[in-house]
Amino acid sequence: MSLLAAILAGMFLAAGAIFVLIGSFGLWRLPDFYTRLHAAGITDTLGLSLMLVGMMFLGGWTLVTVKLVFIMLLILLTSPTATHAVANAAYTVGLRPFGVPPEDLAEKDR
Amino acid sequence: MMLAAATVGLLVAMLIVLARAIAGPSLYDRVLAVNSFGTKIVLLLAAMGFLSGRPDFLDIALLYALINFIGTLAVLKFFRYRHLGVASPSDGKAETTR
Amino acid sequence: MLHALVMGTSLAVFWLLLSGYFTSSLLLSLGALSVVVTVYLALRADKHDGERVALRVDPPLVRYWIWLVIEIVKANIDVAKLILSPTMALSPRMVRVKATQPTDVGVVIYANSITLTPGTVTVDIDDDEFVVHAITQAMADGLTDGDMGDRVTALGAR
Amino acid sequence: MELLINTVLLGLLGITAIAILMTRHLFVATMLSGGYSLTSAALLVSLDAVDVAFTEAAVGAGVSTVLMLGTLTLTRRREKVQKEFRWSPLLVVTVTGALLIYGTVDMPAFGDPNAPALLHIVPEYIAGTRDDIQIPNIVTAILASYRGYDTLGETAVIFTAGVGVLLLLGRRREEDEEAGTRRPERDA
């Protein structure tokens, strides 16, 4: 593995880990379910992609990289669906969002 | 080196997310936290493959990504329709938030 | 027939890439068998519900992906700053966004793009309107000016 | 590094298990046990038991979560609170646990290459797999070929169990349809 690839891998891994940590921290810190959805989104998109790209640099041009690409595509395609499903389930039963002005909500939820 | 640091970061993140899964407060927070936990396990498995020098273990990470998605959808289908069979719209509102 | 051929070829490529066995004749023949069975089952399922979703990769879609990735990175940094700021100046909004895409696939791409971008999550869909939860007023405004929607419509998804 | 990962994963398992014990809410217990399966499968990967990890991921995190949810649709969402403390179950559990631990005293040390199970027939399997079965994965070769009848029996048992569960869950659904709409439960 060349030095450049090693440095790039290290940078991507570090950045990804930082974003994963920020996302998890947000999941703990934010006040309600709907805002926490966004924090989980950080982990699922940028944190995950950056870490996997870093690992691709470690793997080089091999089948390992192909598998990493598959994992990344799979999660990027399925995570919005899962997020929407959770959000939709919560909204359907009328879980009230924190801090949203009342004129935004449907009649039944006010 | 950086890989080890990133792995430690992942482990810390997993602890925080587990705390959210246990603390709740609503059911949906827990589902979200467990789903996010699953994503981190996928990353951890991939990182462990590289740490032990055997990246073939990625197959399991791939399987996890699939299982995690299917599991979340099954849980939410259960939430919305109260059973796992055919959906009937009248059941959608039966669940309270906690 | 063409459909079956394309599907079979892509499944075979997928199998080879995942397994990494290119030489053992026993394993290759087992892989080929599984491809044939999968194609047969998929064709049967096609007959049952008649819906096919074709995968399409062409320059406009690739351009959209690149634009989306840049948007996602920007939104990630915004939300990360928000989480780390000591005051956490949240101003959550629920906004309604019109989906102008003529096809189901277009609507799905639009809704998923909104959700994939941190800061905005599609919470509900009524016919052609999305209910979107945005974590700040600025994120909500960025969505309602309709740039992303126009771009998805311009894709001309069938 | 490996030690750190193992320790943290074991710690996570412990925390999750205690949380499952503490909660009275059955749905929460189901969610957490899904997380428990994911974690324990990661632990199995780090112990190099990849095939077991595969099974744990598919069965533990996937199928059993769905089965437990299916069960939850048939029952209440909350555990009944036991009023008085009963000694007999505690006694049974303690004695059984003590016996099991006593049994492990005779077992060979973890990873001992001279363990009896590894001396008798395993070297033969390892030597023979490549020429006899021509499958790269030794575990697969042993399970599906050397011990093929064994595996067939196990699969039959699991299949029977699955059919049984489906019959139980399926019957309830027909009853529901006959009874019309169901009364919504508000005990969640």
Side-chain angles (χ1 to χ4, degrees):
Chain A
M1 187 170 49
S2 74
L3 186 67
L4 182 69
I7 292 174
L8 278 174
M11 278 167 51
F12 273 100
L13 281 170
I18 288 172
F19 272 100
V20 168
L21 272 174
I22 292 177
S24 310
F25 181 58
L27 203 66
W28 179 252
R29 190 178 181 209
L30 287 167
D32 84 323
F33 166 73
Y34 292 97
T35 47
R36 282 176 206 143
L37 281 173
H38 306 299
I42 292 188
T43 310
D44 281 358
T45 55
L46 202 55
L48 174 112
S49 309
L50 285 175
M51 284 196 77
L52 288 182
V53 170
M55 287 179 208
M56 283 175 209
F57 281 115
L58 287 182
W61 289 107
T62 51
L63 285 180
V64 169
T65 303
V66 177
K67 278 180 199 165
L68 285 171
V69 171
F70 279 138
I71 294 179
M72 191 161 128
L73 284 182
L74 188 72
I75 294 193
L76 284 183
L77 286 176
T78 55
S79 91
T81 314
T83 310
H84 171 75
V86 195
N88 188 256
Y91 185 73
T92 313
V93 299
L95 183 69
R96 309 194 39 163
F98 161 88
V100 168
E103 69 267 19
D104 283 3
L105 298 175
E107 204 61 55
K108 64 178 171 67
D109 291 334
R110 252 176 229 173
Chain B
M1 183 56 224
M2 217 59 226
L3 190 63
T7 312
V8 173
L10 269 180
L11 290 174
V12 174
M14 281 164 66
L15 271 172
I16 303 176
V17 172
L18 186 65
R20 174 51 73 201
I22 291 172
S26 79
L27 292 176
Y28 305 97
D29 286 301
R30 296 175 206 269
V31 178
L32 185 68
V34 171
N35 187 26
S36 187
F37 193 76
T39 312
K40 289 179 183 69
I41 290 264
V42 171
L43 279 173
L44 181 73
L45 282 176
M48 269 160 55
F50 280 98
L51 276 176
S52 64
R54 279 185 288 174
D56 328 348
F57 286 4
L58 283 175
D59 292 339
I60 303 180
L62 198 61
L63 177 79
Y64 266 43
L66 272 172
I67 296 273
N68 194 29
F69 175 62
I70 294 171
T72 309
L73 283 197
V75 168
L76 294 160
K77 196 173 171 200
F78 168 76
F79 264 136
R80 285 209 56 181
Y81 306 117
R82 305 282 288 117
H83 47 77
L84 297 165
V86 187
S88 70
S90 64
D91 284 352
K93 309 279 187 206
E95 174 73 34
T96 50
T97 50
R98 160 111 200 192
Chain C
M1 194 57 220
L2 182 72
H3 180 63
L5 270 180
V6 171
M7 183 158 57
T9 322
S10 38
L11 279 175
V13 171
F14 191 60
W15 188 91
L16 283 174
L17 285 179
L18 278 192
S19 67
Y21 298 129
F22 297 105
T23 45
S24 160
S25 56
L26 172 69
L27 292 176
L28 281 180
S29 52
L30 288 176
L33 184 69
S34 61
V35 167
V36 170
V37 171
T38 314
V39 170
Y40 169 72
L41 288 178
L43 289 181
R44 260 177 63 108
D46 268 354
K47 249 182 240 159
H48 183 63
D49 69 359
E51 253 182 88
R52 279 179 191 174
V53 177
L55 194 66
R56 188 188 59 148
V57 179
D58 54 5
L61 195 62
V62 173
R63 268 203 298 279
Y64 177 72
W65 279 350
I66 293 172
W67 178 82
L68 186 66
V69 166
I70 295 172
E71 286 299 303
I72 287 175
V73 172
K74 279 196 279 188
N76 262 300
I77 293 172
D78 285 350
V79 178
K81 270 188 202 155
L82 198 66
I83 291 172
L84 291 181
S85 76
T87 50
M88 278 209 303
L90 305 176
S91 50
R93 292 290 311 267
M94 286 276 201
V95 287
R96 293 185 161 261
V97 182
K98 263 250 179 304
T100 51
Q101 289 70 30
T103 60
D104 285 349
V105 176
V107 174
V108 169
I109 291 180
Y110 187 28
N112 272 355
S113 304
I114 292 177
T115 310
L116 202 53
T117 321
T120 49
V121 170
T122 314
V123 169
D124 203 4
I125 302 176
D126 309 331
D127 295 335
D128 61 341
E129 250 191 350
F130 301 149
V131 179
V132 178
H133 183 275
I135 196 169
T136 60
Q137 181 74 45
M139 296 260 181
D141 292 344
L143 197 64
T144 39
D145 73 12
D147 185 28
M148 182 186 268
D150 292 344
R151 279 174 194 267
V152 180
T153 313
L155 278 180
R158 290 150 300 170
Chain D
M1 192 63 217
E2 196 146 317
L3 185 71
L4 177 76
I5 295 181
N6 285 346
T7 317
V8 174
L9 284 180
L10 260 181
L12 286 173
L13 278 183
I15 297 172
T16 320
I18 292 172
I20 293 175
L21 280 180
M22 301 290 282
T23 182
R24 292 265 165 225
H25 199 287
L26 292 178
F27 190 87
V28 174
T30 309
M31 288 313 302
L32 287 176
S33 69
Y36 186 91
S37 293
L38 285 175
T39 322
S40 65
L43 193 63
L44 289 170
V45 171
S46 100
L47 291 175
D48 273 1
V50 184
D51 52 320
V52 189
F54 234 91
T55 319
E56 177 67 43
V59 177
V63 179
S64 60
T65 307
V66 174
L67 286 183
M68 275 197 266
L69 286 176
T71 317
L72 271 185
T73 62
L74 301 182
T75 175
R76 296 171 138 268
R77 296 272 189 101
R78 276 189 175 279
E79 200 179 329
K80 261 191 199 156
V81 184
Q82 195 78 48
K83 285 280 164 18
E84 74 224 64
F85 188 81
R86 288 194 303 185
W87 287 100
S88 50
L90 184 67
L91 190 73
V92 171
V93 169
T94 319
V95 170
T96 318
L99 281 177
L100 286 176
I101 292 173
Y102 176 68
T104 60
V105 174
D106 284 344
M107 300 233 309
F110 176 71
D112 182 7
N114 294 321
L118 298 180
L119 290 178
H120 171 46
I121 199 160
V122 170
E124 220 169 286
Y125 285 161
I126 294 175
T129 318
R130 213 190 50 186
D131 300 324
D132 290 355
I133 326 262
Q134 294 173 3
I135 281 181
N137 187 331
I138 293 182
V139 177
T140 312
I142 292 178
L143 284 183
S145 189
Y146 287 119
R147 297 185 191 155
Y149 285 115
D150 230 23
T151 311
L152 189 66
E154 284 168 17
T155 324
V157 169
I158 294 175
F159 179 73
T160 320
V163 171
V165 168
L166 280 182
L167 283 176
L168 281 173
L169 291 178
R171 221 175 99 199
R172 170 66 186 244
R173 196 167 299 143
E174 275 166 29
E175 278 169 17
D176 281 348
E177 275 159 22
E178 283 163 22
T181 53
R182 204 185 324 181
R183 184 177 55 86
E185 289 168 56
R186 289 223 171 253
D187 57 347

